[in-house]
Amino acid sequence: DTGVSQDPRHKITKRGQNVTFRCDPISEHNRLYWYRQTLGQGPEFLTYFQNEAQLEKSRLLSDRFSAERPKGSFSTLEIQRTEQGDSAMYLCASSLETADQFFGPGTRLTVL
Amino acid sequence: ILNVEQSPQSLHVQEGDSTNFTCSFPSSNFYALHWYRWETAKSPEALFVMTLNGDEKKKGRISATLNTKEGYSYLYIKGSQPEDSATYLCAFNTGGFKTIFGAGTRLFVKA
């Protein structure tokens, strides 16, 4: 499968714990995006990488959130000291150009 | 603040019915409008990307139109089938990296 993959698909954690998600984009794509989707809403932009450079972060991304793309390939999104409000679907997408983003299946986070 | 609105929020139709949804977006700074289909437990799948006013795109029984001057796009499904059941998302882009999504229209097709 040469699509975007995300791991894990589901994560249940207790409030206050740290979690890390991984995204593997389509190999030749230089752009990588993270989105968060909550019930009844569309995906909301969190952050964007061009190669290994993080070029934009949404104000939705508090200082408990950090994302990396160390070699310009896979990316990780870490949430520290999780809160119940962090429960959501976290989607990753990649592209060569803005017009065509390819999405992964998402990681569903539940914070108890 | 850029806002993308979709209506209706959800729609229940019978197999064989034709249906359509609306996406409204800002008419200024337009670059591209995307439609995605998102089935439960799967990745959102790109259906169409439209960039020109008056664009019409078609893929099988699904088609879309675009009016950038008034800021709306319609998605049509002809002869709905149960496998069309999904959330249909539209997304607006101003030419940068940021894409603004609507909340989606959830379609249920009953056999």
Side-chain angles (χ1 to χ4, degrees), chain A residues 4 9 31 33 35 37 40-45 48 55-56 58 89 91 98-105, chain B residues 1 9 31-32 34 36 38 41-46 49 89 93 95-104:
Chain A
V4 179
R9 294 290 303 274
R31 299 184 181 195
Y33 313 79
Y35 293 88
Q37 191 253 345
Q41 302 295 320
E44 294 176 291
F45 171 82
Y48 158 70
L55 297 185
E56 183 70 18
S58 166
M89 174 75 83
L91 289 164
T98 305
D100 292 298
Q101 290 187 36
F102 292 81
F103 281 85
Chain B
I1 297 176
Q9 283 188 325
Y31 179 77
H34 308 258
Y36 291 86
W38 194 3
K42 294 187 179 179
S43 308
E45 172 199 358
V49 55
L89 294 167
N93 183 273
F97 55 84
K98 197 167 180 180
T99 299
I100 311 297
F101 282 83

Side-chain angles (χ1 to χ4, degrees), chain A residues 38-56:
Chain A
T38 54
L39 195 64
Q41 302 295 320
E44 294 176 291
F45 171 82
L46 291 179
T47 191
Y48 158 70
F49 290 86
Q50 184 152 330
N51 301 310
E52 65 275 10
Q54 187 175 20
L55 297 185
E56 183 70 18

Side-chain angles (χ1 to χ4, degrees), chain B residues 1 14 18 33 41 53 57 61 65 73 87 91 108:
Chain B
I1 297 176
Q14 289 290 130
S18 293
L33 192 285
N53 184 44
K57 295 279 178 88
R61 294 179 291 99
T65 61
S73 175
T87 297
F108 301 89

Side-chain angles (χ1 to χ4, degrees), chain B:
Chain B
I1 297 176
L2 299 175
N3 207 29
V4 177
E5 302 283 345
Q6 289 189 248
S7 63
Q9 283 188 325
S10 65
L11 193 55
H12 293 251
V13 301
Q14 289 290 130
E15 182 176 359
D17 287 351
S18 293
T19 187
N20 65 85
F21 327 132
T22 304
C23 173
S24 301
F25 53 87
S27 55
S28 58
N29 298 316
F30 178 85
Y31 179 77
L33 192 285
H34 308 258
W35 282 99
Y36 291 86
R37 176 170 61 200
W38 194 3
E39 294 180 67
T40 304
K42 294 187 179 179
S43 308
E45 172 199 358
L47 289 173
F48 306 113
V49 55
M50 295 184 287
T51 56
L52 297 175
N53 184 44
D55 254 356
E56 292 187 25
K57 295 279 178 88
K58 188 174 181 183
K59 192 175 186 178
R61 294 179 291 99
I62 304 177
S63 59
T65 61
L66 179 68
N67 183 323
T68 60
K69 293 184 179 178
E70 296 182 38
Y72 65 85
S73 175
Y74 294 134
L75 186 80
Y76 301 91
I77 301 179
K78 187 177 177 181
S80 303
Q81 299 296 309
E83 58 265 31
D84 296 330
S85 297
T87 297
Y88 291 83
L89 294 167
C90 76
F92 169 80
N93 183 273
T94 59
F97 55 84
K98 197 167 180 180
T99 299
I100 311 297
F101 282 83
T105 292
R106 188 125 188 235
L107 175 66
F108 301 89
V109 182
K110 189 174 179 182

